[in-house]
Each structure stands twice: as C-alpha cells, then as structure tokens.
Amino acid sequence: MIRVIVADDHHLVRQGIRALLEKADDIRVVGEAADGRGAIELVERLAPDVLVLDISTPRLDGIQAIKRIRTLGLATRVVILSMYSDTTLVRQALQSGARGYLLKRSLTEELLLAVRAASQGEVYLSPGISGSIVDELMAARAGARGSGPSDLLTAREAEVLQLISEGHTNAAIAEVLTISVKTVEKHRATLMSKLSVHDVAGLIRMAIKRGMIFLEK
C-alpha cells in the first residue's frame, strides 16, 4: 500500500486529489496539509511514501519543502503539482529532488501513475511538459547553465524571501521561523544585497521570478 499526504492551500482541490487517489486499491491518503510547513510536519510524523505537493503553497513553497525533506533525511518522495509549465520551475523542482511534476489542468489518471512511479523512485513528468523542456532540464543538470544571483540563497534566506513576499512583518516572520526579529532584519538586508534590490517591491519581483508567488491571470 502506498501511503500519501496531499498538500494544497485550496480545500476543494485537496478533496478532489484525495478522491482521485482513493479510487486506487494500492494507494491510501493518510493526511492533508494546507501549507508547506504543515506538510513537512505531517511527513515527519507519518513518514508517508509520497507527498503530493502544490508548488506554490503558503509559508513554505514546494521547492523549499523538498529541500527541507532532503535536509531532514526523510525517505518520502515528492510529486509536485503546478498550474505552470515554466521551464525554470520544472528545473528547480527536479534539481531539488522532486520525483514528479504534474500540470493541474491535466490531472486525471496521470496522478496515479506519478504517485506509483515516485514510490518506486522513478520520475514522472506530465505530458504537457514538452520534450524541449526535458532537454533543457537534462542540460541544466549536466551543468550547462550558470547560476543566477537567486540561486545563491541559503534555504533560510529563501524562506524569509517567501514570507516577505506574502506580506508578513518582521515580527511575524520571526515567530514562524522561531528566530529573533534582529535575525530576520539581517536576512532581509542580506537578501537585498545578494539580489541587488533596494526595497520590498524588488524582493517581491524576485519571489515571483523564483516561483514562490504567482500573479493572478
């Protein structure tokens, strides 16, 4: 039996994903989370085989959640769900350790295939992701592409960047991350220096570029 946790900030989406997964005799949903941090807490507590995770979850985005799982040494494999087939996001997800990347608009039996593949340590990509994107991913993994300034961020800096972009105050960020307000201020200054921006608007633009937040279409 493949044990799965579903993480998405939209309740109806989670319920739809759960219903689809529970059609299968070999898959059981053991938990749900509404944001990235909640997903990590459930993974630590329940040790599922697979985490099905929206790439743009609040408080900790999908990319950072994958990195946190790897840092903690957890065996759970991650399948990313996204509305976007943007090359940069797909590349970041796979390089971070995702075992699947699915487009939400094409969610059908594909999700079952992706979960089964991930549980076996294999990678599944939605057919909506073109061959040219896959080619670019492979080239990037071989080191064909250089790193931009945003690739130089530490995991903590990336977390702070996301929380800033979501509108949290320094005090609120300090509470979420269990660090001091002074440390948050230092991270904010470091972010502006590394990313060559001078205000919160610039940080938000960078967060959008990194796929931490999205503009409504």
Side-chain angles (χ1 to χ4, degrees):
M1 183 68 68
I2 303 171
R3 301 170 68 253
V4 179
I5 286 174
V6 177
D8 192 289
D9 59 329
H10 294 96
H11 177 72
L12 290 179
V13 174
R14 289 201 308 275
Q15 291 304 298
I17 293 171
R18 181 173 197 138
L20 178 58
L21 290 173
E22 291 183 338
K23 287 181 180 179
D25 295 333
D26 59 334
I27 297 173
R28 180 161 64 97
V29 177
V30 296
E32 298 180 21
D35 60 53
R37 293 190 181 280
I40 296 299
E41 291 172 3
L42 281 180
V43 168
E44 288 187 275
R45 181 157 56 89
L46 301 176
D49 301 298
V50 178
L51 168 62
V52 177
L53 176 65
D54 182 7
I55 198 168
S56 57
T57 49
R59 300 212 304 157
L60 191 72
D61 70 84
I63 302 298
Q64 294 304 316
I66 297 171
K67 292 179 179 178
R68 179 65 61 82
I69 287 172
R70 293 180 66 185
T71 298
L72 294 172
L74 304 174
T76 298
R77 278 117 178 195
V78 179
V79 172
I80 286 289
L81 300 179
S82 177
M83 294 175 60
Y84 303 89
S85 58
D86 179 79
T87 307
T88 301
L89 293 179
V90 180
R91 174 170 56 83
Q92 287 179 346
L94 293 187
Q95 288 181 328
S96 297
R99 307 304 295 180
Y101 193 103
L102 295 181
L103 301 179
K104 284 188 174 181
R105 64 175 178 267
S106 60
L107 275 184
T108 53
E109 299 301 313
E110 282 185 48
L111 181 57
L112 301 181
L113 294 174
V115 167
R116 289 170 180 143
S119 72
Q120 297 298 315
E122 301 172 359
V123 175
Y124 184 94
L125 297 178
S126 174
I129 300 172
S130 69
S132 61
I133 291 178
V134 175
D135 289 342
E136 183 173 344
L137 291 174
M138 295 305 101
R141 292 188 114 176
R145 296 181 56 157
S147 298
S150 62
D151 295 320
L152 301 177
L153 300 185
T154 65
R156 178 64 84 194
E157 288 164 356
E159 290 174 353
V160 172
L161 175 58
Q162 178 175 356
L163 292 169
I164 289 172
S165 70
E166 291 176 356
H168 295 283
T169 64
N170 286 350
I173 294 172
E175 182 177 355
V176 169
L177 300 180
T178 60
I179 57 179
S180 69
V181 172
K182 189 172 183 179
T183 300
V184 174
E185 292 172 347
K186 288 182 179 178
H187 282 310
R188 185 188 289 258
T190 300
L191 283 168
M192 289 186 176
S193 175
K194 282 188 175 183
L195 302 178
S196 299
V197 298
H198 308 289
D199 52 27
V200 172
L203 290 176
I204 291 175
R205 285 193 296 272
M206 187 57 67
I208 293 171
K209 183 178 179 181
R210 288 175 62 86
M212 293 175 171
I213 58 174
F214 298 92
L215 296 175
E216 295 294 333
K217 289 189 173 181

